[in-house]
């Protein structure tokens, strides 16, 4: 009996993966707004009623794709933090390497990136299930700052009195072990990181920026300094995408 159950579970995993792969193909060709369960079923040679047993609605399928995309870029950021954590590496260098890894993933997976950071899909509201995966890159940045705070220290940025209460609230919610001024600087730095990537990916840098990777590295290094990381050097890099 367990052998039959195991075979069924493997078959379900394989069919689920095939459905999501075909849905990603449709995303690339038509965009998320035109994703259709019937079209996915047709391309896979499935009856629509059979596909609904895996994903009861378009929104359920979109949620699965969104979670996968957030998890994929989160795993890349986490791996970059670990890989860049050698004894000779500064926290500022690790920050930059994490940011570059996120950019590399976006350039390699533009449609998945657009799904999670592009225009909202009409009629779709992301459920709570997406919150944890969506937080993974931000948690890596917080962990980098926490490591720096506990070792070499942070150059705590200035904070105007008008922002004090909001900075305290954000710190309590996001990173209570970091100075509120650092958290208040981190939130816009996080937004600017994805703004830089989005401008490059969605064409706003066309005919404006040619040496995009050096500009990106310079910019994110500056973002690291804005949140208090202590390093005045822009790390160099060999290889990578989108130079």
């Amino acid at each position: 009996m367990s052998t039959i159950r195991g075979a069924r579970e493997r078959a379900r995993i394989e069919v689920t993966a095939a459905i999501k792969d075909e849905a990603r193909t449709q995303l690339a060709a038509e965009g998320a707004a035109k994703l259709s369960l019937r079209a996915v079923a047709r391309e896979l040679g499935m009856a629509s009623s059979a596909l609904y047993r895996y994903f009861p609605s378009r929104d359920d399928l979109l949620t699965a794709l969104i979670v996968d995309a957030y998890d994929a870029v989160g795993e890349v950021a986490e791996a970059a933090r670990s890989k860049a954590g050698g004894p000779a590496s500064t926290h500022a260098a690790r920050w930059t390497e994490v940011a570059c890894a996120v950019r590399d993933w976006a350039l390699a997976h533009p449609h998945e990136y657009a799904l999670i950071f592009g225009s909202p899909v009409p009629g779709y509201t992301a459920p709570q299930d997406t919150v944890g995966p969506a937080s993974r890159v931000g948690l890596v940045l917080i962990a980098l700052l926490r490591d720096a705070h506990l070792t070499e220290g942070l150059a705590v940025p200035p904070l105007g009195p008008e922002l004090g209460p909001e900075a305290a609230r954000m710190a309590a919610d996001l990173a209570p072990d970091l100075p509120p001024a650092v958290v208040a600087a981190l939130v816009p730095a996080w937004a600017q990181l994805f703004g830089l990537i989005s401008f490059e990916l969605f064409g706003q840098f066309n005919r404006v920026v040619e040496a995009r990777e050096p500009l990106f590295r310079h910019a994110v290094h500056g973002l690291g300094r804005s949140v208090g990381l202590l390093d005045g050097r822009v790390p160099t890099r060999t290889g990578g995408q989108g130079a």
Side-chain angles (χ1 to χ4, degrees), residues 101-182:
V102 172
R103 172 181 176 266
D104 285 349
W105 180 87
L107 293 176
H109 303 87
H111 303 294
E112 288 91 337
Y113 181 90
L115 178 63
I116 54 178
F117 292 112
S119 300
V121 180
Y124 174 79
T125 300
Q128 191 70 20
D129 296 355
T130 62
V131 173
S135 304
R136 290 178 67 170
V137 173
L139 290 175
V140 170
L141 300 180
I142 289 172
L144 280 169
L145 292 179
R146 183 180 293 117
D147 291 345
H149 186 50
L150 294 174
T151 53
E152 64 194 34
L154 293 167
V156 178
L159 181 69
E162 72 282 356
L163 193 55
E166 178 64 6
R169 185 199 63 78
M170 289 192 294
D173 286 347
L174 301 174
D177 51 345
L178 291 176
V182 169

Side-chain angles (χ1 to χ4, degrees), residues 35-236:
L35 181 64
S36 163
L37 290 184
R38 289 183 179 276
V40 171
R42 183 172 59 249
E43 290 298 322
L44 293 175
M46 296 175 64
S48 297
S49 57
L51 190 147
Y52 292 141
R53 292 199 292 269
Y54 294 86
F55 297 100
S57 70
R58 180 208 69 160
D59 285 5
D60 290 305
L61 179 53
L62 272 175
T63 296
L65 298 176
I66 288 167
V67 167
D68 284 354
Y70 276 131
D71 277 337
V73 69
E75 288 170 7
V76 163
E78 291 158 3
R81 178 193 171 214
S82 298
K83 184 178 178 181
S89 175
T90 66
H91 291 96
R94 295 173 200 173
W95 168 281
T96 301
E97 290 309 314
V98 166
C100 286
V102 172
R103 172 181 176 266
D104 285 349
W105 180 87
L107 293 176
H109 303 87
H111 303 294
E112 288 91 337
Y113 181 90
L115 178 63
I116 54 178
F117 292 112
S119 300
V121 180
Y124 174 79
T125 300
Q128 191 70 20
D129 296 355
T130 62
V131 173
S135 304
R136 290 178 67 170
V137 173
L139 290 175
V140 170
L141 300 180
I142 289 172
L144 280 169
L145 292 179
R146 183 180 293 117
D147 291 345
H149 186 50
L150 294 174
T151 53
E152 64 194 34
L154 293 167
V156 178
L159 181 69
E162 72 282 356
L163 193 55
E166 178 64 6
R169 185 199 63 78
M170 289 192 294
D173 286 347
L174 301 174
D177 51 345
L178 291 176
V182 169
V183 178
L186 173 61
V187 171
W190 166 70
Q192 289 174 72
L193 165 62
F194 286 103
L196 285 164
I197 295 171
S198 295
F199 261 51
E200 178 175 3
L201 202 62
F202 300 147
Q204 281 88 348
F205 282 161
N206 291 350
R207 293 185 291 182
V208 177
V209 180
E210 294 183 1
R212 294 178 182 177
E213 182 169 346
L215 177 69
F216 180 82
R217 294 181 69 83
H218 177 80
V220 297
H221 185 71
L223 293 177
R225 297 188 68 183
S226 77
V227 299
L229 292 172
L230 301 169
D231 185 355
R233 296 175 292 110
V234 179
T236 58

